[in-house]
């Protein structure tokens, strides 16, 4: 059997630069792994977009480790390291091409990643892994996180690997999908929510770039989004957002070929933005839309603002992106309020995502 070599792959600036071909091979491994999980290419991301998303910014840097079998890249480990907040943590993703599993490659990549963590004084490693919804494991084959909400199949390779490697299951998310042709429920809900909110609140919408006069308010909402949703057992601390970080993220998203529809809600009495929701779509995958953040500030909850925001943005997506076919969203299983809204909007469960955390000695 040939030997496997683990190396860091410096992230090139472009695909044409030195290392670009290796980067494209590593991106192909990521996409093959996504296809093996889901049985479709909705979550495949092309190499250009991946490259833009992995460029370092003042907010976050990335380390990419690859495993080679001869000259062929067959596995990746990506470390995403926050630089402005959360100084103890980093997020890791390990992906091994289906044809190269059970050869100890993930184990070697995890050692590489743990060394990188140690160099940087990081002690808390977080990760997510996915499983398709469908086959329901028996009760004794389910891993239930300490939240008690949701479960992940104990027999999934990622679960076996993670637990054996010292990770704890700290949360389970539900992946849900909505066919965009089925927005009748959403339109009815938008109408009902608007009646409740009108007079005290109004909606503000933008595409790709937040208006200058709203950007400070928007930065506060993005900051709150880092810790207001249920975190399960994740040791996530509040992120540090300001107008400059908003602009950097907007530029990065656009540079990767992705457009965003943002809908925010403004409190009439104070003039402040008190909630927002984001939908994103990549030009490379015009049928697929991602639901990103949805947040309503604590003191404004209970007025149907979350429903109003999400339903209004679904309507915008249908109008702005006529070739879009479906929307994916992820929610913590204990986030019953958001899940109830999503079910009422027509979303149906399509997958489970396990949240893993390992504290390094
Ligand atoms: C999880 C994953 C990374 C494992 O990669 P791998 O290279 O096959 O893992 P290793 O060979 O290092 O496995 C180490 C140990 O984990 C356990 N393990 C891994 N896959 C297993 C499986 N399918 N069945 C049973 N045990 C398994 C075994 O104990 C194995 O040791 P052994 O082969 O000596 O018995 C791979 O299946 C994968 O890429 N899955 C999709 C992406 C993902 O979920 N990544 C994890 C989140 S970061």
């Amino acid at each position: 059997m040939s030997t496997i070599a683990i190396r860091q792959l410096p992230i090139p600036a472009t695909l044409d630069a030195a290392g670009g071909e290796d980067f494209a091979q590593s991106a192909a491994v990521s996409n093959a792994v996504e296809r093996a999980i889901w049985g479709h290419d909705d979550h495949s991301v092309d190499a250009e977009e991946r490259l833009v998303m992995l460029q370092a910014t003042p907010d976050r840097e990335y380390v990419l480790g690859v495993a080679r079998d001869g000259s062929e890249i067959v596995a990746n480990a990506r470390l995403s390291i926050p630089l402005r907040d959360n100084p103890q943590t980093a997020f890791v993703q390990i992906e091994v091409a289906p044809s190269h599993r059970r050869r100890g490659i993930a184990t070697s990549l995890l050692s590489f990643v743990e060394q990188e963590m140690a160099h940087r004084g990081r002690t808390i490693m977080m990760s997510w892994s996915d499983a398709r919804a469908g086959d329901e494991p028996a009760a004794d084959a389910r891993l239930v996180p300490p939240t008690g909400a949701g479960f992940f199949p104990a027999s999934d390779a990622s679960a076996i690997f993670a637990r054996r490697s010292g990770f704890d299951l700290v949360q389970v998310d539900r992946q849900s999908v909505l066919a965009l042709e089925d927005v009748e429920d959403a339109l009815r809900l938008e109408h009902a929510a608007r009646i409740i909110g009108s007079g005290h609140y109004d909606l503000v919408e933008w595409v790709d770039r937040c208006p200058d006069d709203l950007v400070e308010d928007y930065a506060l909402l993005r900051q709150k989004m880092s810790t207001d949703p249920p975190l399960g057992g994740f040791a996530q601390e509040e992120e540090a957002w300001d107008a400059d970080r908003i602009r950097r993220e907007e530029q990065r998203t656009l540079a990767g070929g992705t457009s965003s529809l943002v809908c925010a809600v403004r409190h009439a009495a104070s003039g402040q933005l008190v909630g927002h929701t984001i939908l994103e779509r990549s030009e490379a995958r015009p049928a697929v839309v991602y639901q990103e953040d949805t947040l309503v500030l604590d003191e404004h909850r209970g007025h149907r603002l979350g429903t109003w925001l999400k339903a209004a943005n679904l309507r915008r997506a249908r109008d702005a992106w006529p070739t879009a076919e479906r929307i994916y969203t992820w929610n913590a299983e204990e986030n019953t309020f958001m899940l109830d809204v999503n079910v009422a909007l027509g979303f149906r469960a399509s997958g489970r995502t396990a949240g893993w955390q390992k504290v390094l000695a």
Side-chain angles (χ1 to χ4, degrees), residues 52-65:
V52 170
M53 299 319 276
L54 293 189
Q55 298 299 315
T57 72
D59 311 309
R60 200 168 272 277
E61 67 170 331
Y62 301 88
V63 174
L64 176 59

Side-chain angles (χ1 to χ4, degrees), residues 6-23:
I6 308 282
R7 295 260 153 67
Q8 183 172 353
L9 187 69
I11 296 165
T14 67
L15 285 180
D16 298 331
E21 269 179 39
D22 284 346
F23 186 86

Side-chain angles (χ1 to χ4, degrees), residues 33-34 36-37 75-76 91-98 100-109 126-130 152 155-162 164-165 167 354 356:
V33 168
E34 290 292 339
I37 295 170
N76 304 314
F91 178 87
V92 63
Q93 189 70 35
I94 296 179
E95 299 157 331
V96 180
H100 288 76
R101 292 188 182 162
R102 301 301 297 273
R103 295 175 61 189
I105 297 179
T107 305
S108 303
L109 281 168
M126 301 169 172
S127 187
W128 293 103
S129 71
D130 300 301
F152 195 76
S155 62
D156 189 85
S158 69
I160 300 172
F161 172 72
R164 174 188 186 271
S165 306
F167 285 84
W356 303 101

